């Protein structure tokens, strides 16, 4: 999704913007641009390019632009294709105001018609350009006052950054629905879509809430609500280092993040245990039903969570795609709990579905990675994964951390309800503490997995099979592969194969079987035999020492033994590496796959 950065301060803004835009690249984009108020404060210089930030950088080479108040933007096309005209920033007719925007202005056509009638000419197909003209049309002599008027006219979800030659030392940021933070520096301040964009310059931030407007100058930050009332906001200090947003010698962020898992799993176990919210577990004690809603990889974590919560806490769980849950006639009473899982905490589908459920009387829990994100503030209770920023578009370390949190949540809820005994809890907890070193041993086999990737990289389709708690892992394996390699892949519960997908199997189809030695092993083994009998190519993810599976499979990736319920945290790791290596061998851009955005802030 689009990324915003704004700078006001003593240095030349251009390098700061370019650095920030690079940090925002992971969100997904197809064009980028900057708007800089020139040194004399009387002109806005706008430069844009279609393509990558390096294309914009090359374009700016030798242009010698200098200014101290500026905006930058990465655009993920919604209204109109990726062209220079449609790229942001957009400028008002008299070129006195420049705007960057993330989100969708739902009533833009109506506003556009009104503005056209008043003589405004539009240069782009975007919804954003109306905001630039609207600012000019409504300008009162004060940017904040104007922003209040503009915000009242806009419908939809948006984060907007505004600069103007009328008030050249100021940036105004407006937030409703899409994320926007303000960073505090010395003699300089920033706005941005997220923290990594400005982490090089500051670790102190405020996270704007919906309906808030920030007025930012180099020495001062003020926040107002939409009635123009000044608000007191408590800054947030982050402890991460900028290195979390660097590749640290790995070829891609995705590879680095896969390798970070021993640490992020460990940190999440510790983080959960040290910041347990007792009120949350009191609230869950009486729950008669738990809905888990999420999208993509987070949805797959929810599917695994269902097994654990039903097993340990004995609460019936329904897992739904947030975009589906939002528009169905769900049944909610005062004993209903709805948990939204979201790495970013900004996914529009998940947020809005949760807000609706909350309005209808459900208690809401957020499971998020990004501290201070919208979802973390909008839910009644929040649990965090402790991963730091995840930059690769494909979720990896946050998935295993979500699993760890869901397992601990289920055990803790079970303990409080009396459905889990203390020794049972302790046994699994102690075993969980060994999961990081088991993940490490899987990662040590990366070269072996790469060889397997090489063998199957030219396949047209893949099938992923698993049973019970490892069925969602088959879904996740298929999602990872398709999103970064563009190879068609399907995940299926292995027992369901005979009801249809078995027709796909021939000697060209690689079938990845997730077959750890758990309670369902024999059943899964029969499914593996069914694939082999139809000449499918079998790649198995099996428990170390399993020679029976090895004999029947074309290739095996071993994982260390574990208790049945812990296997998903291990079985997913080889699938992440397999997808990663297939995609890189095919020369795909794994960190920024085509058409995808890291944070999907539109419905
Ligand atoms: O930030 P969220 O967890 O809410 O994001 C949900 C999905 O957009 C996300 O998991 C997506 O499917 C990833 N690209 C998967 O790798």
């Amino acid at each position: 999704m689009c990324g915003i950065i704004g700078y006001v301060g003593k240095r030349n803004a251009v390098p700061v913007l370019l650095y920030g835009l690079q940090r925002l690249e992971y969100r997904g984009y197809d064009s980028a641009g900057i708007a800089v108020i020139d040194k004399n404060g009387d002109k806005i210089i706008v430069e844009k390019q279609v393509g990558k930030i390096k294309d914009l950088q090359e374009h700016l080479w030798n242009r010698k632009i200098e200014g101290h108040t500026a905006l930058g933007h990465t655009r993920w096309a919604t209204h109109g294709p990726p062209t220079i005209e449609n790229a942001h920033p957009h400028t008002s007719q008299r070129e006195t105001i420049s705007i960057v925007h993330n989100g969708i202005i739902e009533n833009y056509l109506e506003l556009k018609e009104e503005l056209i009638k008043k003589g405004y000419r539009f240069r782009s197909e975007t919804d954003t350009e109306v905001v630039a003209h609207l600012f000019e049309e409504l300008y009162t002599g004060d940017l904040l006052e104007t922003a209040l008027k503009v915000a009242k006219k806009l419908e939809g979800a948006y984060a907007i950054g505004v600069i103007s030659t009328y008030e050249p030392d100021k940036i105004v940021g407006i937030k409703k629905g899409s994320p926007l933070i303000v960073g505090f520096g010395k003699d300089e301040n920033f706005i941005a879509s997220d923290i990594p964009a400005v982490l090089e310059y500051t670790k102190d931030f405020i996270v704007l809430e919906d309906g808030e407007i920030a007025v930012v100058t180099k020495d001062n930050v003020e926040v107002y609500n939409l009635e123009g009332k000044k608000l007191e906001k408590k800054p947030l200090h982050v402890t991460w280092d900028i290195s979390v947003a660097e590749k640290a010698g790995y070829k891609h962020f995705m590879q680095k993040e896969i390798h970070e898992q021993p640490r992020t799993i460990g940190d999440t176990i510790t983080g959960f245990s040290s910041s347990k919210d007792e009120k949350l577990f009191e609230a869950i004690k009486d729950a008669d039903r738990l809905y888990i809603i999420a999208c993509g990889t987070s949805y797959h974590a929810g599917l695994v969570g269902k097994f654990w919560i039903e097993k340990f806490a004995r609460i019936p769980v329904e897992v739904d795609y947030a975009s589906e849950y939002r528009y169905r006639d769900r049944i909610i009473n005062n004993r209903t709990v709805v948990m939204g899982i979201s790495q970013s905490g900004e996914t529009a589908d998940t947020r809005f579905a949760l807000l609706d459920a909350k309005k209808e009387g459900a208690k809401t829990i957020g499971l998020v990675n990004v501290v201070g994100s919208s979802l973390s503030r909008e839910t009644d209770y929040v649990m965090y994964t402790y991963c730091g920023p995840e930059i690769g578009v494909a979720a990896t370390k946050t998935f295993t951390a979500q699993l760890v949190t869901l397992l601990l949540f289920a055990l803790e809820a079970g303990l409080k309800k009396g459905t889990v005994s203390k020794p049972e809890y302790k046994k699994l907890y102690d075993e969980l503490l060994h999961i990081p070193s088991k993940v490490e041993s899987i990662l040590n086999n990366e070269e072996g997995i790469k060889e397997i990737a090489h063998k199957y990289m030219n396949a047209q389709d893949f099938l992923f099979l698993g049973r019970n708690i490892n069925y969602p892992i088959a879904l996740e394996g298929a999602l990872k592969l398709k999103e970064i390699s563009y190879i068609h892949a399907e995940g299926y519960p292995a027992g369901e194969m005979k009801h249809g997908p078995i027709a796909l199997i021939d000697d060209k189809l690689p079938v990845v079987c997730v077959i750890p030695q758990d309670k369902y092993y024999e059943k899964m083994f029969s499914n593996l035999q069914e694939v082999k009998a139809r000449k499918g190519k079998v790649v198995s993810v099996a428990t170390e020492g399993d020679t029976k599976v090895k004999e029947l499979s074309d290739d095996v990736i071993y994982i260390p033994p574990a208790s049945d319920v812990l296997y998903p945290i291990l079985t997913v790791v080889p699938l992440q590496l397999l997808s990663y290596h297939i995609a890189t061998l095919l020369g795909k851009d794994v960190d920024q796959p085509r058409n995808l955005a890291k944070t999907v802030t539109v419905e």
Side-chain angles (χ1 to χ4, degrees), residues 296-298 300-301 394-396 399 464 471-483 491 572 575-576 579:
T297 290
S298 298
H300 297 152
T396 53
F399 178 69
F464 287 73
Y471 149 55
I473 300 304
L475 294 178
E476 175 60 8
L479 175 63
K480 282 295 85 99
L481 185 65
K482 65 188 142 194
E483 69 177 330
V572 72
L575 303 188
Q576 297 169 341
S579 305

PDB file of all heavy atoms in Angstrom, residues 296-298 300-301 394-396 399 464 471-483 491 572 575-576 579:
ATOM      1  N   GLY A 296      -5.050 -13.777   4.908  1.00  0.00           N
ATOM      2  CA  GLY A 296      -3.779 -14.327   4.429  1.00  0.00           C
ATOM      3  C   GLY A 296      -3.114 -15.233   5.443  1.00  0.00           C
ATOM      4  O   GLY A 296      -3.740 -16.132   6.035  1.00  0.00           O
ATOM      5  N   THR A 297      -1.840 -14.978   5.662  1.00  0.00           N
ATOM      6  CA  THR A 297      -1.058 -15.805   6.575  1.00  0.00           C
ATOM      7  C   THR A 297      -1.621 -15.754   7.996  1.00  0.00           C
ATOM      8  O   THR A 297      -1.650 -16.770   8.705  1.00  0.00           O
ATOM      9  CB  THR A 297       0.407 -15.328   6.541  1.00  0.00           C
ATOM     10  OG1 THR A 297       0.928 -15.701   5.263  1.00  0.00           O
ATOM     11  CG2 THR A 297       1.247 -15.948   7.621  1.00  0.00           C
ATOM     12  N   SER A 298      -2.083 -14.595   8.416  1.00  0.00           N
ATOM     13  CA  SER A 298      -2.642 -14.478   9.773  1.00  0.00           C
ATOM     14  C   SER A 298      -3.878 -15.363   9.920  1.00  0.00           C
ATOM     15  O   SER A 298      -4.145 -15.920  10.990  1.00  0.00           O
ATOM     16  CB  SER A 298      -3.006 -13.020  10.073  1.00  0.00           C
ATOM     17  OG  SER A 298      -1.848 -12.227  10.035  1.00  0.00           O
ATOM     18  N   HIS A 300      -4.230 -18.212   8.412  1.00  0.00           N
ATOM     19  CA  HIS A 300      -3.727 -19.585   8.601  1.00  0.00           C
ATOM     20  C   HIS A 300      -3.295 -19.810  10.059  1.00  0.00           C
ATOM     21  O   HIS A 300      -3.500 -20.889  10.617  1.00  0.00           O
ATOM     22  CB  HIS A 300      -2.562 -19.874   7.641  1.00  0.00           C
ATOM     23  CG  HIS A 300      -2.985 -19.803   6.200  1.00  0.00           C
ATOM     24  ND1 HIS A 300      -2.136 -19.472   5.180  1.00  0.00           N
ATOM     25  CD2 HIS A 300      -4.208 -20.004   5.627  1.00  0.00           C
ATOM     26  CE1 HIS A 300      -2.804 -19.485   4.041  1.00  0.00           C
ATOM     27  NE2 HIS A 300      -4.052 -19.790   4.286  1.00  0.00           N
ATOM     28  N   ALA A 301      -2.701 -18.778  10.659  1.00  0.00           N
ATOM     29  CA  ALA A 301      -2.343 -18.903  12.081  1.00  0.00           C
ATOM     30  C   ALA A 301      -3.613 -19.136  12.900  1.00  0.00           C
ATOM     31  O   ALA A 301      -3.645 -19.964  13.818  1.00  0.00           O
ATOM     32  CB  ALA A 301      -1.619 -17.644  12.550  1.00  0.00           C
ATOM     33  N   ALA A 394       6.146 -11.306   2.171  1.00  0.00           N
ATOM     34  CA  ALA A 394       5.687 -12.620   2.624  1.00  0.00           C
ATOM     35  C   ALA A 394       5.917 -12.737   4.131  1.00  0.00           C
ATOM     36  O   ALA A 394       7.035 -12.593   4.613  1.00  0.00           O
ATOM     37  CB  ALA A 394       6.462 -13.707   1.891  1.00  0.00           C
ATOM     38  N   ALA A 395       4.843 -12.979   4.860  1.00  0.00           N
ATOM     39  CA  ALA A 395       4.963 -13.094   6.322  1.00  0.00           C
ATOM     40  C   ALA A 395       5.643 -14.411   6.681  1.00  0.00           C
ATOM     41  O   ALA A 395       5.256 -15.468   6.184  1.00  0.00           O
ATOM     42  CB  ALA A 395       3.576 -13.026   6.941  1.00  0.00           C
ATOM     43  N   THR A 396       6.657 -14.353   7.514  1.00  0.00           N
ATOM     44  CA  THR A 396       7.354 -15.583   7.929  1.00  0.00           C
ATOM     45  C   THR A 396       7.521 -15.596   9.448  1.00  0.00           C
ATOM     46  O   THR A 396       6.839 -16.330  10.147  1.00  0.00           O
ATOM     47  CB  THR A 396       8.736 -15.682   7.239  1.00  0.00           C
ATOM     48  OG1 THR A 396       9.465 -14.470   7.470  1.00  0.00           O
ATOM     49  CG2 THR A 396       8.589 -15.953   5.756  1.00  0.00           C
ATOM     50  N   PHE A 399       4.429 -15.189  11.436  1.00  0.00           N
ATOM     51  CA  PHE A 399       3.522 -16.351  11.470  1.00  0.00           C
ATOM     52  C   PHE A 399       3.898 -17.269  12.630  1.00  0.00           C
ATOM     53  O   PHE A 399       3.041 -17.642  13.436  1.00  0.00           O
ATOM     54  CB  PHE A 399       3.589 -17.109  10.135  1.00  0.00           C
ATOM     55  CG  PHE A 399       2.727 -18.346  10.100  1.00  0.00           C
ATOM     56  CD1 PHE A 399       1.342 -18.255  10.108  1.00  0.00           C
ATOM     57  CD2 PHE A 399       3.301 -19.613  10.068  1.00  0.00           C
ATOM     58  CE1 PHE A 399       0.535 -19.400  10.080  1.00  0.00           C
ATOM     59  CE2 PHE A 399       2.509 -20.761  10.042  1.00  0.00           C
ATOM     60  CZ  PHE A 399       1.121 -20.649  10.046  1.00  0.00           C
ATOM     61  N   PHE A 464      -0.101 -28.953  -1.891  1.00  0.00           N
ATOM     62  CA  PHE A 464       0.414 -29.107  -0.530  1.00  0.00           C
ATOM     63  C   PHE A 464      -0.649 -29.840   0.284  1.00  0.00           C
ATOM     64  O   PHE A 464      -1.813 -29.422   0.287  1.00  0.00           O
ATOM     65  CB  PHE A 464       0.674 -27.742   0.116  1.00  0.00           C
ATOM     66  CG  PHE A 464       1.883 -27.033  -0.424  1.00  0.00           C
ATOM     67  CD1 PHE A 464       1.875 -26.452  -1.686  1.00  0.00           C
ATOM     68  CD2 PHE A 464       3.040 -26.919   0.343  1.00  0.00           C
ATOM     69  CE1 PHE A 464       2.984 -25.788  -2.184  1.00  0.00           C
ATOM     70  CE2 PHE A 464       4.159 -26.253  -0.146  1.00  0.00           C
ATOM     71  CZ  PHE A 464       4.130 -25.687  -1.410  1.00  0.00           C
ATOM     72  N   TYR A 471      -2.806 -29.212   8.557  1.00  0.00           N
ATOM     73  CA  TYR A 471      -3.519 -28.832   7.326  1.00  0.00           C
ATOM     74  C   TYR A 471      -3.353 -27.319   7.052  1.00  0.00           C
ATOM     75  O   TYR A 471      -3.020 -26.925   5.933  1.00  0.00           O
ATOM     76  CB  TYR A 471      -4.983 -29.302   7.409  1.00  0.00           C
ATOM     77  CG  TYR A 471      -5.958 -28.440   6.670  1.00  0.00           C
ATOM     78  CD1 TYR A 471      -5.772 -28.176   5.310  1.00  0.00           C
ATOM     79  CD2 TYR A 471      -7.061 -27.882   7.303  1.00  0.00           C
ATOM     80  CE1 TYR A 471      -6.653 -27.355   4.618  1.00  0.00           C
ATOM     81  CE2 TYR A 471      -7.942 -27.072   6.624  1.00  0.00           C
ATOM     82  CZ  TYR A 471      -7.733 -26.804   5.291  1.00  0.00           C
ATOM     83  OH  TYR A 471      -8.601 -25.988   4.618  1.00  0.00           O
ATOM     84  N   PRO A 472      -3.535 -26.446   8.078  1.00  0.00           N
ATOM     85  CA  PRO A 472      -3.285 -25.023   7.787  1.00  0.00           C
ATOM     86  C   PRO A 472      -1.845 -24.750   7.331  1.00  0.00           C
ATOM     87  O   PRO A 472      -1.603 -23.778   6.621  1.00  0.00           O
ATOM     88  CB  PRO A 472      -3.554 -24.321   9.135  1.00  0.00           C
ATOM     89  CG  PRO A 472      -4.399 -25.261   9.910  1.00  0.00           C
ATOM     90  CD  PRO A 472      -4.052 -26.648   9.465  1.00  0.00           C
ATOM     91  N   ILE A 473      -0.934 -25.624   7.718  1.00  0.00           N
ATOM     92  CA  ILE A 473       0.459 -25.423   7.279  1.00  0.00           C
ATOM     93  C   ILE A 473       0.566 -25.720   5.779  1.00  0.00           C
ATOM     94  O   ILE A 473       1.325 -25.066   5.056  1.00  0.00           O
ATOM     95  CB  ILE A 473       1.433 -26.305   8.100  1.00  0.00           C
ATOM     96  CG1 ILE A 473       1.332 -25.942   9.585  1.00  0.00           C
ATOM     97  CG2 ILE A 473       2.870 -26.191   7.605  1.00  0.00           C
ATOM     98  CD1 ILE A 473       1.583 -24.476   9.931  1.00  0.00           C
ATOM     99  N   ALA A 474      -0.233 -26.683   5.303  1.00  0.00           N
ATOM    100  CA  ALA A 474      -0.265 -26.939   3.856  1.00  0.00           C
ATOM    101  C   ALA A 474      -0.808 -25.697   3.137  1.00  0.00           C
ATOM    102  O   ALA A 474      -0.285 -25.283   2.097  1.00  0.00           O
ATOM    103  CB  ALA A 474      -1.139 -28.158   3.563  1.00  0.00           C
ATOM    104  N   LEU A 475      -1.831 -25.076   3.716  1.00  0.00           N
ATOM    105  CA  LEU A 475      -2.381 -23.846   3.111  1.00  0.00           C
ATOM    106  C   LEU A 475      -1.321 -22.743   3.086  1.00  0.00           C
ATOM    107  O   LEU A 475      -1.156 -22.026   2.105  1.00  0.00           O
ATOM    108  CB  LEU A 475      -3.583 -23.342   3.914  1.00  0.00           C
ATOM    109  CG  LEU A 475      -4.834 -24.217   3.944  1.00  0.00           C
ATOM    110  CD1 LEU A 475      -5.900 -23.583   4.820  1.00  0.00           C
ATOM    111  CD2 LEU A 475      -5.370 -24.414   2.535  1.00  0.00           C
ATOM    112  N   GLU A 476      -0.594 -22.629   4.195  1.00  0.00           N
ATOM    113  CA  GLU A 476       0.417 -21.580   4.297  1.00  0.00           C
ATOM    114  C   GLU A 476       1.567 -21.842   3.313  1.00  0.00           C
ATOM    115  O   GLU A 476       2.077 -20.916   2.678  1.00  0.00           O
ATOM    116  CB  GLU A 476       0.915 -21.485   5.755  1.00  0.00           C
ATOM    117  CG  GLU A 476       2.048 -20.517   6.023  1.00  0.00           C
ATOM    118  CD  GLU A 476       1.735 -19.057   5.676  1.00  0.00           C
ATOM    119  OE1 GLU A 476       0.586 -18.716   5.358  1.00  0.00           O
ATOM    120  OE2 GLU A 476       2.689 -18.251   5.705  1.00  0.00           O
ATOM    121  N   GLY A 477       1.959 -23.128   3.179  1.00  0.00           N
ATOM    122  CA  GLY A 477       3.020 -23.466   2.221  1.00  0.00           C
ATOM    123  C   GLY A 477       2.620 -23.071   0.814  1.00  0.00           C
ATOM    124  O   GLY A 477       3.413 -22.513   0.050  1.00  0.00           O
ATOM    125  N   ALA A 478       1.354 -23.328   0.467  1.00  0.00           N
ATOM    126  CA  ALA A 478       0.875 -22.991  -0.880  1.00  0.00           C
ATOM    127  C   ALA A 478       0.824 -21.475  -1.073  1.00  0.00           C
ATOM    128  O   ALA A 478       1.211 -20.955  -2.126  1.00  0.00           O
ATOM    129  CB  ALA A 478      -0.505 -23.604  -1.103  1.00  0.00           C
ATOM    130  N   LEU A 479       0.367 -20.756  -0.034  1.00  0.00           N
ATOM    131  CA  LEU A 479       0.299 -19.287  -0.147  1.00  0.00           C
ATOM    132  C   LEU A 479       1.695 -18.697  -0.330  1.00  0.00           C
ATOM    133  O   LEU A 479       1.919 -17.828  -1.177  1.00  0.00           O
ATOM    134  CB  LEU A 479      -0.388 -18.681   1.086  1.00  0.00           C
ATOM    135  CG  LEU A 479      -0.415 -17.145   1.154  1.00  0.00           C
ATOM    136  CD1 LEU A 479      -1.200 -16.545  -0.001  1.00  0.00           C
ATOM    137  CD2 LEU A 479      -1.001 -16.650   2.469  1.00  0.00           C
ATOM    138  N   LYS A 480       2.650 -19.188   0.478  1.00  0.00           N
ATOM    139  CA  LYS A 480       4.024 -18.656   0.366  1.00  0.00           C
ATOM    140  C   LYS A 480       4.534 -18.823  -1.051  1.00  0.00           C
ATOM    141  O   LYS A 480       5.095 -17.914  -1.641  1.00  0.00           O
ATOM    142  CB  LYS A 480       4.996 -19.374   1.306  1.00  0.00           C
ATOM    143  CG  LYS A 480       5.009 -19.013   2.760  1.00  0.00           C
ATOM    144  CD  LYS A 480       5.439 -17.629   3.110  1.00  0.00           C
ATOM    145  CE  LYS A 480       4.290 -16.667   3.013  1.00  0.00           C
ATOM    146  NZ  LYS A 480       3.607 -16.278   4.180  1.00  0.00           N
ATOM    147  N   LEU A 481       4.334 -20.052  -1.586  1.00  0.00           N
ATOM    148  CA  LEU A 481       4.886 -20.327  -2.913  1.00  0.00           C
ATOM    149  C   LEU A 481       4.228 -19.445  -3.967  1.00  0.00           C
ATOM    150  O   LEU A 481       4.908 -18.827  -4.784  1.00  0.00           O
ATOM    151  CB  LEU A 481       4.697 -21.812  -3.259  1.00  0.00           C
ATOM    152  CG  LEU A 481       5.343 -22.225  -4.584  1.00  0.00           C
ATOM    153  CD1 LEU A 481       6.861 -22.100  -4.506  1.00  0.00           C
ATOM    154  CD2 LEU A 481       4.961 -23.644  -4.968  1.00  0.00           C
ATOM    155  N   LYS A 482       2.898 -19.362  -3.943  1.00  0.00           N
ATOM    156  CA  LYS A 482       2.262 -18.608  -5.032  1.00  0.00           C
ATOM    157  C   LYS A 482       2.557 -17.119  -4.952  1.00  0.00           C
ATOM    158  O   LYS A 482       2.768 -16.469  -5.961  1.00  0.00           O
ATOM    159  CB  LYS A 482       0.781 -18.925  -5.184  1.00  0.00           C
ATOM    160  CG  LYS A 482      -0.134 -18.559  -4.073  1.00  0.00           C
ATOM    161  CD  LYS A 482      -1.539 -19.140  -4.336  1.00  0.00           C
ATOM    162  CE  LYS A 482      -2.149 -19.617  -3.052  1.00  0.00           C
ATOM    163  NZ  LYS A 482      -3.317 -20.451  -3.233  1.00  0.00           N
ATOM    164  N   GLU A 483       2.604 -16.575  -3.737  1.00  0.00           N
ATOM    165  CA  GLU A 483       2.749 -15.112  -3.683  1.00  0.00           C
ATOM    166  C   GLU A 483       4.133 -14.625  -4.099  1.00  0.00           C
ATOM    167  O   GLU A 483       4.267 -13.533  -4.617  1.00  0.00           O
ATOM    168  CB  GLU A 483       2.343 -14.535  -2.325  1.00  0.00           C
ATOM    169  CG  GLU A 483       3.265 -14.864  -1.179  1.00  0.00           C
ATOM    170  CD  GLU A 483       2.834 -14.204   0.121  1.00  0.00           C
ATOM    171  OE1 GLU A 483       2.237 -13.130   0.106  1.00  0.00           O
ATOM    172  OE2 GLU A 483       3.114 -14.793   1.178  1.00  0.00           O
ATOM    173  N   GLY A 491      -3.346 -25.691  -1.335  1.00  0.00           N
ATOM    174  CA  GLY A 491      -3.201 -26.427  -0.088  1.00  0.00           C
ATOM    175  C   GLY A 491      -4.495 -27.183   0.153  1.00  0.00           C
ATOM    176  O   GLY A 491      -5.590 -26.640  -0.102  1.00  0.00           O
ATOM    177  N   VAL A 572       6.298 -25.581   9.231  1.00  0.00           N
ATOM    178  CA  VAL A 572       6.169 -24.456   8.289  1.00  0.00           C
ATOM    179  C   VAL A 572       7.530 -23.928   7.829  1.00  0.00           C
ATOM    180  O   VAL A 572       7.660 -23.390   6.727  1.00  0.00           O
ATOM    181  CB  VAL A 572       5.315 -23.312   8.906  1.00  0.00           C
ATOM    182  CG1 VAL A 572       6.072 -22.572  10.002  1.00  0.00           C
ATOM    183  CG2 VAL A 572       4.870 -22.346   7.829  1.00  0.00           C
ATOM    184  N   LEU A 575       8.927 -25.103   4.544  1.00  0.00           N
ATOM    185  CA  LEU A 575       8.089 -24.628   3.433  1.00  0.00           C
ATOM    186  C   LEU A 575       8.404 -23.171   3.095  1.00  0.00           C
ATOM    187  O   LEU A 575       8.366 -22.768   1.935  1.00  0.00           O
ATOM    188  CB  LEU A 575       6.602 -24.798   3.763  1.00  0.00           C
ATOM    189  CG  LEU A 575       6.171 -26.226   4.112  1.00  0.00           C
ATOM    190  CD1 LEU A 575       4.659 -26.317   4.219  1.00  0.00           C
ATOM    191  CD2 LEU A 575       6.670 -27.232   3.079  1.00  0.00           C
ATOM    192  N   GLN A 576       8.724 -22.377   4.125  1.00  0.00           N
ATOM    193  CA  GLN A 576       9.139 -20.985   3.862  1.00  0.00           C
ATOM    194  C   GLN A 576      10.418 -20.978   3.020  1.00  0.00           C
ATOM    195  O   GLN A 576      10.546 -20.249   2.036  1.00  0.00           O
ATOM    196  CB  GLN A 576       9.416 -20.259   5.193  1.00  0.00           C
ATOM    197  CG  GLN A 576       8.202 -20.127   6.092  1.00  0.00           C
ATOM    198  CD  GLN A 576       8.567 -19.643   7.500  1.00  0.00           C
ATOM    199  OE1 GLN A 576       9.722 -19.737   7.930  1.00  0.00           O
ATOM    200  NE2 GLN A 576       7.582 -19.134   8.227  1.00  0.00           N
ATOM    201  N   SER A 579       9.844 -22.193  -0.673  1.00  0.00           N
ATOM    202  CA  SER A 579       9.261 -21.130  -1.513  1.00  0.00           C
ATOM    203  C   SER A 579      10.296 -20.069  -1.814  1.00  0.00           C
ATOM    204  O   SER A 579      10.421 -19.606  -2.946  1.00  0.00           O
ATOM    205  CB  SER A 579       8.113 -20.434  -0.795  1.00  0.00           C
ATOM    206  OG  SER A 579       7.186 -21.357  -0.394  1.00  0.00           O
TER     207      SER A 579
END
